[in-house]
């Protein structure tokens, strides 16, 4: 598990470093890697991350401020699978001061 966590941390750094200001980056991965990435980015307890439901083909979005602070925008969104819409919006209704955005599928 420690090796997987190290690989995910490295991948997150590469993804964020490759994302220019005010851009979004899309990453497609397996649910277990996604849980680890969300845990690392959002400071969740890695041992409890299995409790977070991640459906196949769901979308999770994290905004990152210029200072690198991560903010959860949506986790496990499956609206696109029901044909309700394709736009990515902040499910919490809050304003985001994002500098960069990471979209995890």
């Amino acid at each position: 598990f420690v090796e997987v966590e190290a690989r995910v941390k490295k991948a997150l750094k590469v993804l964020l470093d490759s994302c220019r200001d005010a851009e979004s980056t899309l990453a497609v991965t397996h649910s277990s890697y996604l849980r680890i990435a969300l845990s690392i980015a959002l400071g969740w307890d890695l041992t409890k991350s299995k409790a977070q439901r991640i459906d196949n083909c769901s979308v999770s979005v994290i905004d990152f401020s210029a200072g690198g602070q991560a903010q959860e925008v949506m986790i496990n969104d499956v609206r696109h699978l029901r044909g309700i819409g394709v736009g990515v919006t902040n499910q919490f209704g809050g304003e985001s001061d994002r500098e960069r955005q990471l979209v995890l599928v």
Side-chain angles (χ1 to χ4, degrees):
F1 187 77
V2 175
E3 294 169 355
V4 174
E5 179 186 358
R7 286 196 306 266
V8 173
K9 279 183 182 179
K10 183 177 178 181
L12 282 174
K13 180 173 178 4
V14 169
L15 286 169
L16 289 172
D17 288 349
S18 69
C19 187
R20 295 189 186 112
D21 292 349
E23 283 188 344
S24 296
T25 297
L26 172 68
V28 180
T29 188
H30 297 282
S31 62
S32 57
Y33 278 62
L34 178 52
R35 278 188 200 91
I36 295 169
L38 291 169
S39 296
I40 292 167
L42 298 171
W44 297 348
D45 182 347
L46 282 169
T47 60
K48 296 180 181 177
S49 67
K50 288 184 181 182
Q52 174 63 51
R53 180 181 175 138
I54 301 294
D55 292 310
N56 289 335
C57 303
S58 67
V59 176
S60 297
V61 179
I62 305 168
D63 283 350
F64 289 87
S65 67
Q69 182 67 33
Q71 176 185 354
E72 179 180 325
V73 176
M74 70 175 58
I75 304 296
N76 196 43
D77 186 356
V78 292
R79 289 178 291 171
H80 61 287
L81 299 175
R82 294 186 299 251
I84 293 175
V86 296
V88 175
T89 58
N90 186 329
Q91 71 182 21
F92 303 106
E95 293 289 322
S96 175
D97 63 348
R98 76 174 171 103
E99 179 71 21
R100 297 172 289 171
Q101 186 176 70
L102 180 60
V103 180
L104 302 165
V105 179

